[in-house]
Amino acid sequence: MVELNYEEVATLLRVLGNPTRVMIVKELSKGQRCVCDLENRLGISQANASQHLNILKVNNIVDCIRQGSSRCYYLKQPDFIKRLFELIKKKGV
Amino acid sequence: MVELNYEEVATLLRVLGNPTRVMIVKELSKGQRCVCDLENRLGISQANASQHLNILKVNNIVDCIRQGSSRCYYLKQPDFIKRLFELIKKKGV
DNA sequence: TTAGGATATTCTAATATTCTAATATGTACT
DNA sequence: AGTACATATTAGAATATTAGAATATCCTAA
């Protein structure tokens, strides 16, 4: 049985524990999005979106591919995210 | 389908997103513990344990009952915690 | 190669979090 | 009441996080 590393678990949860990042991740669970999509749909600034996406990327939650002059961000483990949100939904926050 | 409130979800994850609180929650998933148990087993100070327990309590993760002069803390939704950790374990952090 | 759109980076101010030390409160026992 | 043990609260310093403004970089098309 693999033991969990407290620091890593905490980091993962802390990274996901920001309302803007929750919005982003939720939006990405519907499909790939470029930065400007996220800006428009979520009503956040370009710089802010980019900063949060970077935090998510560094922490292996998302990744991106070039798509012409823009970048498409996507969840690296969409199943994990879906299950996580379902679990929280069931919990009743 | 109930929609998730970003702020609430983020708060829940942020509360759990601290290594000391992960340790505490993990320890409590094994059973009830009083503050001094947690101090000893986790090697944290009394004040620090108490502060983190308060954060967990205010955010509905734990609750406690008196037990003589000490207090027994316990998880309010142990199943949720177990599933959460299992999910993270499966993910591979 | 230049212009413009799309995204990233850097800096800063405001705010939040965390730990420690000191003090307070509460309970049990004599 | 007085003492000892268990826990909570407070205050303050150190650090981390966040959003926004300004600027830089990258890519594409002309």
Coordinates of all heavy atoms in Angstrom, one line a residue, chain A residues 90-93, chain B residues 12 16 24-26 28-33 53-65 72-82:
Chain A
K90 N -21.2 15.3 -3.5 CA -21.8 14.4 -2.7 C -21.7 14.7 -1.2 O -22.6 14.6 -0.4 CB -21.2 13.0 -2.9 CG -21.9 12.1 -3.9 CD -21.5 10.7 -3.7 CE -21.2 10.1 -5.1 NZ -20.3 8.9 -5.0
K91 N -20.5 15.2 -0.9 CA -20.2 15.6 0.5 C -21.2 16.7 0.9 O -21.6 16.7 2.1 CB -18.8 16.1 0.7 CG -18.5 16.6 2.0 CD -17.2 17.3 2.1 CE -16.8 17.8 3.5 NZ -17.7 18.8 4.1
G92 N -21.5 17.6 0.0 CA -22.4 18.7 0.3 C -21.6 19.9 0.8 O -22.1 20.7 1.6
V93 N -20.4 20.0 0.4 CA -19.5 21.1 0.8 C -19.6 21.4 2.3 O -19.1 20.7 3.0 CB -19.7 22.4 0.0 CG1 -18.6 23.4 0.5 CG2 -19.7 22.2 -1.5
Chain B
L12 N -13.0 24.6 0.9 CA -12.8 23.2 1.4 C -11.4 22.7 1.0 O -10.7 22.2 1.8 CB -13.9 22.3 0.8 CG -13.7 20.9 1.0 CD1 -13.8 20.5 2.5 CD2 -14.7 20.0 0.2
L16 N -8.0 21.9 3.4 CA -7.3 20.6 3.5 C -5.9 20.7 2.8 O -5.1 19.8 3.0 CB -8.1 19.6 2.7 CG -9.5 19.2 3.4 CD1 -10.3 18.3 2.5 CD2 -9.2 18.5 4.7
I24 N -3.1 15.7 10.4 CA -4.1 15.6 11.4 C -5.3 14.8 10.9 O -5.8 13.9 11.5 CB -4.6 17.0 11.8 CG1 -3.5 17.7 12.6 CG2 -5.8 17.0 12.7 CD1 -3.8 19.2 13.0
V25 N -5.8 15.2 9.7 CA -6.9 14.5 9.1 C -6.6 13.0 8.9 O -7.5 12.1 9.2 CB -7.4 15.2 7.8 CG1 -8.3 14.3 7.1 CG2 -8.0 16.6 8.2
K26 N -5.4 12.8 8.4 CA -5.0 11.4 8.2 C -5.0 10.6 9.5 O -5.5 9.5 9.6 CB -3.6 11.3 7.6 CG -3.2 10.0 7.0 CD -3.8 9.8 5.6 CE -4.0 8.3 5.3 NZ -2.8 7.6 4.8
L28 N -6.7 11.3 12.2 CA -8.1 11.2 12.7 C -8.9 10.1 11.9 O -9.9 9.6 12.4 CB -8.8 12.5 12.6 CG -8.3 13.6 13.6 CD1 -9.2 14.9 13.5 CD2 -8.4 13.1 15.0
S29 N -8.4 9.8 10.7 CA -9.1 8.8 9.9 C -8.9 7.4 10.5 O -9.5 6.5 10.2 CB -8.6 8.8 8.4 OG -7.3 8.3 8.3
K30 N -7.9 7.4 11.4 CA -7.7 6.1 12.1 C -8.5 6.0 13.4 O -8.6 4.9 14.0 CB -6.2 6.0 12.5 CG -5.3 6.0 11.3 CD -3.8 5.9 11.8 CE -2.8 6.3 10.7 NZ -1.5 6.7 11.2
G31 N -9.1 7.1 13.8 CA -9.9 7.1 15.0 C -9.8 8.4 15.8 O -9.1 9.3 15.4
Q32 N -10.6 8.5 16.8 CA -10.7 9.8 17.6 C -9.3 10.0 18.2 O -8.6 9.1 18.6 CB -11.7 9.6 18.7 CG -13.1 9.5 18.3 CD -14.1 9.7 19.5 OE1 -15.2 10.1 19.3 NE2 -13.6 9.4 20.7
R33 N -9.0 11.3 18.4 CA -7.7 11.6 19.0 C -7.9 12.9 19.8 O -8.6 13.8 19.4 CB -6.6 11.9 18.0 CG -6.3 10.7 17.1 CD -5.4 9.7 17.9 NE -4.9 8.7 17.0 CZ -5.5 7.5 16.7 NH1 -6.7 7.3 17.3 NH2 -5.0 6.6 15.9
L53 N -6.8 22.5 14.4 CA -8.0 21.9 14.7 C -9.2 22.8 14.6 O -10.3 22.5 14.2 CB -7.9 21.2 16.1 CG -7.1 19.9 16.1 CD1 -6.8 19.5 17.5 CD2 -7.8 18.8 15.4
N54 N -8.9 24.0 15.1 CA -10.0 25.0 15.0 C -10.4 25.3 13.6 O -11.6 25.5 13.2 CB -9.6 26.3 15.7 CG -10.7 27.3 15.7 OD1 -10.6 28.4 15.1 ND2 -11.8 27.0 16.5
I55 N -9.4 25.5 12.7 CA -9.6 25.7 11.3 C -10.5 24.6 10.7 O -11.4 24.8 10.0 CB -8.3 25.9 10.5 CG1 -7.7 27.2 10.9 CG2 -8.6 25.9 9.0 CD1 -6.3 27.5 10.4
L56 N -10.1 23.4 11.0 CA -10.8 22.2 10.5 C -12.2 22.2 11.1 O -13.2 21.8 10.4 CB -10.0 20.9 10.9 CG -8.7 20.7 10.2 CD1 -7.9 19.5 10.8 CD2 -9.0 20.4 8.7
K57 N -12.4 22.6 12.3 CA -13.7 22.6 13.0 C -14.6 23.6 12.4 O -15.8 23.3 12.0 CB -13.5 22.8 14.5 CG -14.8 22.5 15.3 CD -14.5 22.7 16.7 CE -15.8 22.5 17.5 NZ -15.8 23.1 18.8
V58 N -14.1 24.8 12.3 CA -14.9 25.9 11.7 C -15.4 25.5 10.3 O -16.4 25.9 9.8 CB -14.1 27.2 11.6 CG1 -14.7 28.2 10.7 CG2 -13.8 27.8 13.0
N59 N -14.5 24.8 9.6 CA -14.9 24.4 8.2 C -15.5 23.0 8.1 O -15.5 22.4 7.0 CB -13.6 24.5 7.3 CG -13.2 25.9 7.1 OD1 -13.8 26.6 6.2 ND2 -12.2 26.4 7.8
N60 N -16.0 22.6 9.2 CA -16.9 21.4 9.2 C -16.2 20.1 8.8 O -16.9 19.2 8.4 CB -18.1 21.6 8.3 CG -19.2 22.2 9.0 OD1 -19.7 21.6 10.0 ND2 -19.6 23.4 8.6
I61 N -14.9 20.0 9.0 CA -14.2 18.8 8.7 C -14.1 17.9 9.9 O -14.2 16.7 9.8 CB -12.7 19.1 8.3 CG1 -12.6 20.1 7.2 CG2 -12.0 17.8 7.8 CD1 -13.2 19.7 5.9
V62 N -13.9 18.5 11.1 CA -13.9 17.8 12.3 C -14.9 18.4 13.3 O -15.4 19.5 13.1 CB -12.5 17.8 13.0 CG1 -11.5 17.4 12.0 CG2 -12.2 19.2 13.5
D63 N -15.1 17.6 14.4 CA -15.8 18.1 15.5 C -15.2 17.5 16.7 O -14.3 16.6 16.6 CB -17.3 17.8 15.4 CG -18.2 18.8 16.2 OD1 -17.6 19.6 17.0 OD2 -19.4 18.8 16.1
C64 N -15.6 17.9 17.9 CA -15.0 17.3 19.1 C -16.0 17.1 20.3 O -17.1 17.8 20.3 CB -13.8 18.1 19.6 SG -14.3 19.8 20.1
I65 N -15.7 16.3 21.2 CA -16.5 16.1 22.4 C -15.6 16.1 23.6 O -14.4 15.8 23.5 CB -17.3 14.8 22.4 CG1 -16.3 13.6 22.1 CG2 -18.4 14.7 21.4 CD1 -16.9 12.3 22.4
C72 N -11.8 15.1 22.6 CA -11.6 14.1 21.5 C -12.1 14.7 20.2 O -13.3 15.1 20.0 CB -12.4 12.9 21.8 SG -11.4 11.6 22.6
Y73 N -11.2 14.8 19.2 CA -11.6 15.3 17.9 C -11.8 14.1 17.0 O -11.2 13.1 17.1 CB -10.4 16.2 17.3 CG -10.5 17.6 17.9 CD1 -9.9 17.9 19.1 CD2 -11.1 18.6 17.2 CE1 -9.9 19.1 19.6 CE2 -11.2 19.9 17.7 CZ -10.6 20.1 18.9 OH -10.6 21.4 19.4
Y74 N -12.7 14.3 16.1 CA -13.0 13.2 15.2 C -13.5 13.8 13.8 O -14.0 15.0 13.8 CB -14.1 12.3 15.7 CG -15.4 13.0 16.1 CD1 -16.4 13.1 15.1 CD2 -15.6 13.6 17.3 CE1 -17.6 13.8 15.4 CE2 -16.8 14.2 17.7 CZ -17.8 14.3 16.7 OH -18.9 15.0 17.0
L75 N -13.4 13.0 12.8 CA -13.8 13.5 11.5 C -15.4 13.5 11.4 O -16.0 12.5 11.8 CB -13.3 12.5 10.4 CG -11.8 12.5 10.2 CD1 -11.4 11.5 9.1 CD2 -11.3 13.9 9.8
K76 N -15.9 14.5 10.8 CA -17.4 14.5 10.7 C -17.9 13.6 9.6 O -19.0 13.1 9.6 CB -17.9 16.0 10.5 CG -17.7 16.9 11.7 CD -18.3 18.2 11.5 CE -19.8 18.2 11.7 NZ -20.4 19.5 11.7
Q77 N -17.0 13.5 8.5 CA -17.4 12.7 7.4 C -16.2 11.8 7.0 O -15.6 12.1 6.0 CB -17.9 13.6 6.2 CG -19.2 14.3 6.6 CD -19.5 15.3 5.5 OE1 -18.8 16.4 5.4 NE2 -20.5 15.1 4.7
P78 N -15.9 10.8 7.8 CA -14.8 10.0 7.6 C -14.8 9.3 6.2 O -13.7 9.2 5.6 CB -14.8 8.9 8.7 CG -16.2 9.0 9.2 CD -16.7 10.4 9.0
D79 N -15.9 9.0 5.7 CA -16.0 8.4 4.3 C -15.5 9.3 3.3 O -14.8 8.9 2.4 CB -17.4 8.0 4.0 CG -17.8 6.6 4.6 OD1 -16.9 6.1 5.3 OD2 -18.9 6.1 4.4
F80 N -15.9 10.6 3.4 CA -15.5 11.6 2.4 C -13.9 11.6 2.4 O -13.3 11.6 1.4 CB -16.1 12.9 2.7 CG -15.4 14.0 2.0 CD1 -15.6 14.2 0.6 CD2 -14.5 14.9 2.6 CE1 -15.0 15.2 -0.1 CE2 -13.9 16.0 1.9 CZ -14.2 16.1 0.6
I81 N -13.4 11.7 3.6 CA -11.9 11.8 3.7 C -11.2 10.6 3.1 O -10.2 10.7 2.4 CB -11.5 12.0 5.2 CG1 -12.1 13.4 5.7 CG2 -10.0 11.9 5.4 CD1 -11.5 14.6 5.1
K82 N -11.7 9.4 3.5 CA -11.1 8.2 3.0 C -11.2 8.2 1.4 O -10.2 7.9 0.8 CB -11.8 7.0 3.5 CG -11.2 6.5 4.8 CD -12.0 5.3 5.4 CE -11.7 5.2 6.9 NZ -12.6 4.4 7.6

